[in-house]
Amino acid sequence: MKIFITGGAGFIGSNFVEYILGMHPSYKITVFDKMTYASNPDTIREFRKNKNFSFIKGDILDAAHVNRAVKGYDWVVNFAAETHVDRSILGPEAFIETNIKGTFNLLEASRKSGVKKFLQISTDEVYGSVAKGKSRETDTLDPTSPYSASKTSADLIALSYFKTFSLPVLITRSSNNFGPRQHPEKFIPLFITNTIEGKQLPIYGDGKNVRNWIYVGDNCSGLDTVLHKGIPGEIYNIGGDTEEPNIKVAKCILESFCAPDRLLKRVKDRLAHDRRYALDSSKLKKLGWKPENNFEQGMALTIKWYANNTNWWLELKGSAFKKYCKKNYGARP
Ligand code: NAD
Ligand code: TYD
């Protein structure tokens, strides 16, 4: 089995590569990644030690390169995306380009080269804010931010390639992931690393926004299940069993380090901040999947990883990252 993985140098993509190399030692994996600020070259360097791993530096917006690169692979998994909601509010263009046009380029290349499965990594944010109950795969899509709207477009375009061209497309919509190697711009790693650095934790609005957290390893096993047992043309939610308001997650992080609550700082709310996400994952559970880590276990693993890998995130919070942000978004991180 030969798998072409875009965005495999980022957070979930790199955890997925590690998972597949461990679970399926005969599979050959190629990561195709532009290496934006969100990627990590050390991760790729580590993977290169495995003989079944190869790497191509490339941009999914470069259609000619994508067309050449995809040839000969059985499966394509598309993680590559601009992923931070706050950045999509500051500068939506990169999100529209990468997330929509980039996905289109990959779908076209996959159609031409006849790949046997195309897994589009989508998100629970396509459902928009959910006041009551849990989102099911058949629910109406109602995205809020330029990030979630661009992901919704990509999700629907991918499905159109199944309906129109019979490309065997599968879609996963996962809830908020946390775990090792997540960029410290995102909520949980930002709060963990700020606590370690003794900095304040900027909590948006009243802190009562709820997210349905899933440990990244459980998302990876869900993706593996969908790739091996999922039906082309189908959508699968991958949600954790925990729903928590942000303030509770923040306090749990502070408690883990015996740090004082005064580090919490209420800041101006995000524009159009979705109040709650919640996923019904029963469709995937029927294929035999279930999350193995509850929130406390996942948090313990995550905190331990950030505490033991300070060099990794200090570099990402450092000057190269700030320069990249200024150039691409005209804003500080
Ligand atoms: P990330 O930001 O950590 O990584 C994104 C990766 O994509 C990086 O390695 C980056 O270099 C690469 N990339 C960006 N633009 C590219 C381009 N034009 N060409 C090639 N590579 C490019 O993201 P993540 O959190 O790992 O998310 C991965 C996927 O999962 C995304 O599609 C995201 O929408 C989706 N998702 C994420 C979450 C979450 O909680 N993190 C939840 C649901 C869905
Ligand atoms: P984030 O990690 O950006 O994921 P998403 O917005 O895609 O769900 O944020 C998770 C939650 O944490 C979200 O409700 C926004 C909130 N948040 C803060 O309160 N402060 C912060 O500094 C960040 C980055 C997020």
Side-chain angles (χ1 to χ4, degrees):
M1 184 65 63
K2 289 181 75 183
I3 318 179
F4 187 82
I5 300 179
T6 68
F11 165 47
I12 307 176
S14 67
N15 278 280
F16 182 69
V17 169
E18 199 171 45
Y19 183 92
I20 293 290
L21 289 174
M23 286 297 284
H24 306 286
S26 65
Y27 288 14
K28 296 203 182 316
I29 284 179
T30 299
V31 163
F32 184 95
D33 199 299
K34 183 181 172 185
M35 304 305 285
T36 70
Y37 78 92
S39 66
N40 197 278
D42 292 344
T43 312
I44 295 298
R45 221 169 286 134
E46 217 27 58
F47 289 153
R48 279 189 197 271
K49 293 179 187 160
N50 189 310
K51 64 174 175 29
N52 284 339
F53 177 84
S54 58
F55 174 71
I56 302 170
K57 184 168 182 197
D59 185 341
I60 57 170
L61 285 171
D62 181 346
H65 192 185
V66 172
N67 281 331
R68 282 196 310 278
V70 159
K71 280 191 187 130
Y73 287 89
D74 300 302
W75 296 350
V76 171
V77 184
N78 182 26
F79 290 96
E82 289 287 344
T83 60
H84 193 34
V85 173
D86 293 327
R87 286 173 190 280
S88 83
I89 296 167
L90 286 169
E93 197 172 352
F95 289 73
I96 306 305
E97 284 175 353
T98 295
N99 300 358
I100 304 177
K101 186 74 196 304
T103 301
F104 162 74
N105 286 342
L106 267 172
L107 286 162
E108 272 295 291
S110 302
R111 178 162 82 94
K112 286 181 207 147
S113 77
V115 306
K116 297 182 192 82
K117 273 179 195 170
F118 185 105
L119 174 57
Q120 171 64 13
I121 309 296
S122 189
T123 163
D124 63 352
E125 300 196 26
V126 299
Y127 299 114
S129 197
V130 189
K132 271 197 218 134
K134 294 185 175 197
S135 304
R136 304 193 63 161
E137 290 84 351
T138 44
D139 285 356
T140 308
L141 305 186
D142 188 19
T144 307
S145 68
Y147 163 69
S148 54
S150 67
K151 291 296 293 182
T152 307
S153 310
D155 179 317
L156 294 178
I157 294 167
L159 279 173
S160 83
Y161 270 63
F162 171 76
K163 293 175 189 160
T164 311
F165 304 115
S166 303
L167 181 70
V169 168
L170 294 143
I171 309 277
T172 54
R173 296 178 182 156
S174 96
S175 60
N176 281 69
N177 284 230
F178 67 106
R181 294 198 292 271
Q182 185 170 31
H183 196 283
E185 68 184 355
K186 304 281 169 42
F187 176 60
I188 288 183
L190 177 72
F191 278 31
I192 293 174
T193 58
N194 276 13
T195 306
I196 295 172
E197 292 184 282
K199 290 184 179 163
Q200 290 193 305
L201 315 186
I203 195 115
Y204 296 165
D206 63 6
K208 289 185 185 155
N209 301 67
V210 170
R211 295 294 182 263
N212 177 189
W213 293 101
I214 184 168
Y215 184 67
V216 66
D218 289 322
N219 185 20
C220 292
S221 66
L223 297 172
D224 191 26
T225 305
V226 169
L227 274 168
H228 287 92
K229 298 188 186 164
I231 299 165
E234 294 290 321
I235 301 158
Y236 297 90
N237 287 343
I238 312 183
D241 287 335
T242 312
E243 265 186 49
E244 296 290 3
N246 296 335
I247 189 80
K248 198 168 158 209
V249 175
K251 287 191 173 170
C252 155
I253 292 169
L254 288 171
E255 266 169 35
S256 306
F257 289 95
C258 299
D261 275 7
R262 66 176 157 72
L263 282 186
L264 275 175
K265 187 182 179 205
R266 295 268 163 90
V267 297
K268 200 165 155 254
D269 208 354
R270 172 186 281 172
L271 292 179
H273 190 177
D274 282 339
R275 196 64 171 166
R276 173 174 174 262
Y277 301 135
L279 283 183
D280 177 334
S281 306
S282 50
K283 184 171 170 183
L284 181 57
K285 286 183 174 160
K286 284 193 192 125
L287 297 185
W289 171 84
K290 66 173 172 38
E292 296 293 335
N293 300 278
N294 64 29
F295 186 68
E296 289 70 28
Q297 289 164 325
M299 274 303 268
L301 291 169
T302 307
I303 287 175
K304 192 170 165 203
W305 190 88
Y306 282 90
N308 288 336
N309 290 277
T310 41
N311 284 345
W312 185 90
W313 52 264
L314 276 172
E315 200 171 313
L316 289 185
K317 278 179 142 180
S319 59
F321 169 50
K322 284 182 183 140
K323 246 187 239 158
Y324 182 93
C325 298
K326 197 151 188 241
K327 181 165 164 261
N328 288 279
Y329 304 97
R332 63 179 178 79

